Amino acid sequence: MLDDVVAVLACPHCGADLDRTGNSLRCAANHVFDVARQGYVSLLPGGTKVAGDTAAMVAARADFLAAGHYAPIADAAAEALSGVEGCVVDIGAGTGYYLARALEGSERIGLALDVSKYAARRAAKAHPRMGAAVADAWQTLPVRTGAASAVLNVFAPRNAAEMHRVLRPDGRLVVVVPNGDHLADLVSALGLLKVDERKQERLTEQLADHFELIEQRTCEFRLSLAEPEAEAVVAMGPSAWHADPEALRARIAALPKPLAPTASVTIASYRPFPQVAARERFAGS
């Protein structure tokens, strides 16, 4: 765990700053969090039980992304962060793939937050200037108020109040969401979960009280997938909870080749509105 990243973290129990003591992080109230041997730290409040991505889902995502299939999305998200210095906090970071790309060619540091310990293990090693912590996007984030120069959110839950709280007043939020026709051919052929047609509308509603849209663009491109890669697309996303692997493999084998679905996402950049309600701040931060 990088000292520069520790400096932006906050205790999930009391909101106080965290300091390193050996292989642990500790706050002034003596709440202690051990850094795992894989380099990440769990900052979930005690008793929290959430269903993060499984080891199999994370492995499928790591293999698929490492093959470069979503490189255009990563490049577009990194471009949206052009000019940002300081710390980029990626909420729902998964394996850290998109955050690592955003750190390349800069002196930024990155904090990858994900509720899955399996994702955090990989994110901790994704880039030498990145740290990783297990955290729940729907709870108070273990990040100091105003500590982030930018917040990145790619295919992940969006807690507008918390994203606003951790972001500097002059910071930037970059959100990537799938469009309604993202992988539509594959989704239809395999009976997968469809992207909500109101995705963009709901995003606008979620962020309206906290952020102002400054720019957005569509990133759309054709994929070329082998059968195992098509299986990975399913295995790494929410459809993995509902798909039978053997039946899925048989359906993919029966599809016309080549497998060339279209990826379609929107990358949107926002600036935070200046006012922050007192209830959105950590006590004492």
Side-chain angles (χ1 to χ4, degrees), residues 77-96:
E79 183 179 348
L81 292 168
S82 176
V84 170
E85 299 178 357
C87 181
V88 179
V89 176
D90 189 348
I91 301 173
T95 63

Side-chain angles (χ1 to χ4, degrees), residues 181-196:
D181 54 355
H182 179 63
L183 306 181
D185 294 345
L186 201 60
V187 168
S188 176
L190 298 178
L192 307 179
L193 298 177
K194 296 181 179 180
V195 176
D196 184 355

Side-chain angles (χ1 to χ4, degrees), residues 5 88-96 99 110-114 120 123-124 130-134:
V5 173
V88 179
V89 176
D90 189 348
I91 301 173
T95 63
L99 180 56
L111 171 61
L113 301 177
D114 200 280
M130 185 192 305
V134 177

Side-chain angles (χ1 to χ4, degrees), residues 73-258:
I73 300 174
D75 290 341
E79 183 179 348
L81 292 168
S82 176
V84 170
E85 299 178 357
C87 181
V88 179
V89 176
D90 189 348
I91 301 173
T95 63
Y97 172 77
Y98 298 102
L99 180 56
R101 186 65 64 94
L103 299 183
E104 291 177 2
S106 75
E107 295 184 0
R108 305 170 192 138
I109 62 170
L111 171 61
L113 301 177
D114 200 280
V115 76
S116 168
K117 66 180 181 180
Y118 304 107
R121 287 174 181 174
R122 291 181 181 264
K125 302 180 185 301
H127 193 280
R129 293 196 309 278
M130 185 192 305
V134 177
D136 184 357
W138 296 116
Q139 298 190 40
T140 301
L141 296 174
V143 179
R144 292 168 51 194
T145 298
S149 298
V151 169
L152 182 62
N153 182 264
V154 184
F155 303 146
R158 291 167 296 280
N159 183 336
E162 275 300 283
M163 292 192 297
H164 190 287
R165 180 187 65 78
V166 304
L167 197 57
R168 286 172 21 179
D170 62 345
R172 191 180 312 171
L173 168 65
V174 174
V175 179
V176 180
V177 295
N179 296 324
D181 54 355
H182 179 63
L183 306 181
D185 294 345
L186 201 60
V187 168
S188 176
L190 298 178
L192 307 179
L193 298 177
K194 296 181 179 180
V195 176
D196 184 355
E197 293 291 342
R198 295 184 61 247
K199 191 83 171 181
Q200 292 295 331
E201 182 181 343
R202 290 195 300 106
L203 175 63
T204 299
E205 293 171 353
Q206 289 173 339
L207 302 181
D209 292 339
H210 296 85
F211 294 94
E212 176 187 8
L213 177 67
I214 55 177
E215 183 182 12
Q216 71 177 26
R217 56 166 291 196
T218 297
C219 178
E220 195 167 277
F221 53 96
R222 183 77 71 175
L223 296 168
S224 178
L225 304 179
E227 290 184 15
E229 294 167 332
E231 291 179 33
V233 167
V234 181
M236 73 187 202
S239 291
W241 298 103
H242 311 283
D244 175 78
E246 292 300 322
L248 174 67
R249 190 169 295 116
R251 290 202 300 272
I252 291 175
L255 292 178
K257 306 299 186 295

Side-chain angles (χ1 to χ4, degrees), residues 1-12 14-35 41 43 144:
M1 179 63 67
L2 302 174
D3 287 337
D4 286 345
V5 173
V6 172
V8 308
L9 294 173
C11 176
C14 64
D17 295 352
L18 291 172
D19 294 305
R20 183 199 300 275
T21 304
N23 288 324
S24 299
L25 306 183
R26 185 186 302 266
C27 74
N30 210 33
H31 297 124
V32 181
F33 309 90
D34 293 333
V35 177
V41 61
L43 294 178
R144 292 168 51 194

Side-chain angles (χ1 to χ4, degrees), residues 38-63:
Q38 296 92 344
Y40 74 93
V41 61
S42 178
L43 294 178
L44 287 173
T48 299
K49 294 183 179 180
V50 289
D53 288 349
T54 65
M57 293 171 70
V58 171
R61 183 176 298 116
D63 291 344

